[in-house]
Amino acid sequence: MTTLATPPTAGPRPTEATPPKRTSKPRPTVTAVVTWITAGLFVAFLLAVLASVIVASLGASWGASWLPSSVTSDWFRQAWETPGLSSSLAVTFQVAVADVLLALVIGVPAGYVLARKSFPGRSAIMLFALFPVILPPLTYAVQLAALMYRLGIGGTLLSVILVNLVPILPLVILITVPFVEQISPQVEDAARVFGANDFKLFTRVLVPLLMPGIVAAGVLCLVRVLGSFELTFFVSSAETQTLVVTIFGAMADPGGPPAALTAAMTVFYMAIALIGLAISLRFSNPAQALSGSAHRAV
């Protein structure tokens, strides 16, 4: 009896190795290139201005070149000993702290009411809140100064605080409104179910959720107050001048201090602004707050 031999079964064919796909990097668009070039030129111009002020404050004698022939730090000592500089530094600190705190204490609850409540005139209030922010301060500085002197508080520290509060209070309100609108009303309903009254609801629930927006508003208010010149100039006296007004007075006086001494005073002003901005950004990044507040609020 013969048996038929079965042909051998073919094994699995070896798989051919596929070459890795080449990932092509996206080419930058014209808009991106123009944006980066513009941003780079702006940063370079800003750094050049800051560097020129610092170099001018260190120059002892100048020749025909862009750089001083000799360098000294004595201008900073003379600037610190200039009459009125220490008092203007103290006034600047007091005005900045008072205005930022008042703007946050008043503006955050006002922004919450405008975001949650519907009442006649709400759109008009939001529109009028834009005016002090977008209008140049000089357009209403004279009227505010006349009002302060008519009330009998012109030239006092209170008048400087009040006039600088006018542009930053609407700014806090306008920043707070979108942050409140991103918080679900169900969060507030749940807090009320668990027995929270209005005060505890605002301080223990809403304020932690609004903290990124509050810090962002505080940073913008601080920068705005430190750079405010027109409003302070019209209502301040010799004892209530901020640092920016003192520097302007030194630069505008034809027989005033040398340019290097004025530059040293400007370096003090820049240092205060950078220190305040760095301390504020230590607690929160406004850019990340604006982009990620919606995810934290849900």
Side-chain angles (χ1 to χ4, degrees):
M1 187 174 180
T2 60
T3 59
L4 298 176
T6 59
T9 58
R13 295 181 180 180
T15 58
E16 297 181 357
T18 57
K21 295 181 180 181
R22 296 180 179 179
T23 58
S24 60
K25 296 182 179 179
R27 295 181 178 179
T29 61
V30 178
T31 304
V33 173
V34 172
T35 302
W36 280 106
I37 292 176
T38 305
L41 292 176
F42 175 76
V43 173
F45 176 76
L46 183 62
L47 293 178
V49 172
L50 296 178
S52 64
V53 174
I54 295 175
V55 170
S57 65
L58 294 174
S61 60
W62 294 81
S65 62
W66 289 86
L67 298 176
S69 56
S70 60
V71 178
T72 181
S73 60
D74 190 60
W75 295 118
F76 292 99
R77 180 186 60 80
Q78 295 185 29
W80 183 257
E81 295 175 354
T82 301
L85 183 67
S86 58
S87 63
S88 64
L89 286 173
V91 170
T92 302
F93 177 78
Q94 294 172 9
V95 172
V97 172
D99 277 329
V100 171
L101 291 179
L102 286 175
L104 294 178
V105 170
I106 301 174
V108 174
Y112 172 80
V113 173
L114 290 174
R116 283 286 189 261
K117 307 296 182 181
S118 296
F119 52 89
R122 178 182 179 275
S123 300
I125 293 176
M126 295 291 294
L127 179 62
F128 283 115
L130 282 173
F131 288 161
V133 179
I134 62 177
L135 290 178
L138 193 59
T139 58
Y140 52 88
V142 178
Q143 290 78 7
L144 282 178
L147 177 62
M148 294 296 108
Y149 282 101
R150 190 173 302 172
L151 295 176
I153 58 175
T156 62
L157 183 62
L158 178 61
S159 64
V160 177
I161 294 174
L162 290 179
V163 296
N164 282 283
L165 189 64
V166 172
I168 65 173
L169 180 58
L171 184 63
V172 174
I173 296 174
L174 295 175
I175 294 176
T176 305
V177 169
F179 276 89
V180 175
E181 291 177 346
Q182 291 172 355
I183 300 176
S184 174
Q186 296 178 356
V187 176
E188 303 175 33
D189 296 337
R192 289 191 176 94
V193 168
F194 285 99
N197 53 22
D198 292 338
F199 180 76
K200 290 183 179 180
L201 172 65
F202 189 80
T203 56
R204 298 187 181 183
V205 178
L206 293 178
V207 169
L209 293 176
L210 294 174
M211 188 56 65
I214 293 174
V215 176
V219 171
L220 295 178
C221 291
L222 178 65
V223 174
R224 183 75 181 259
V225 172
L226 291 178
S228 177
F229 168 74
E230 297 92 342
L231 298 175
T232 307
F233 177 77
F234 283 105
V235 299
S236 62
S237 62
E239 293 78 16
T240 58
Q241 289 183 355
T242 57
L243 185 57
V244 64
V245 177
T246 303
I247 294 174
F248 173 79
M251 296 178 63
D253 188 4
L261 182 59
T262 307
M265 297 168 64
T266 308
V267 171
F268 281 124
Y269 171 75
M270 292 190 302
I272 293 175
L274 291 176
I275 290 174
L277 186 60
I279 293 175
S280 302
L281 294 178
R282 171 65 178 82
F283 299 98
S284 178
N285 189 342
Q288 295 179 357
L290 292 172
S291 61
S293 61
H295 300 286
R296 285 187 289 265
V298 176

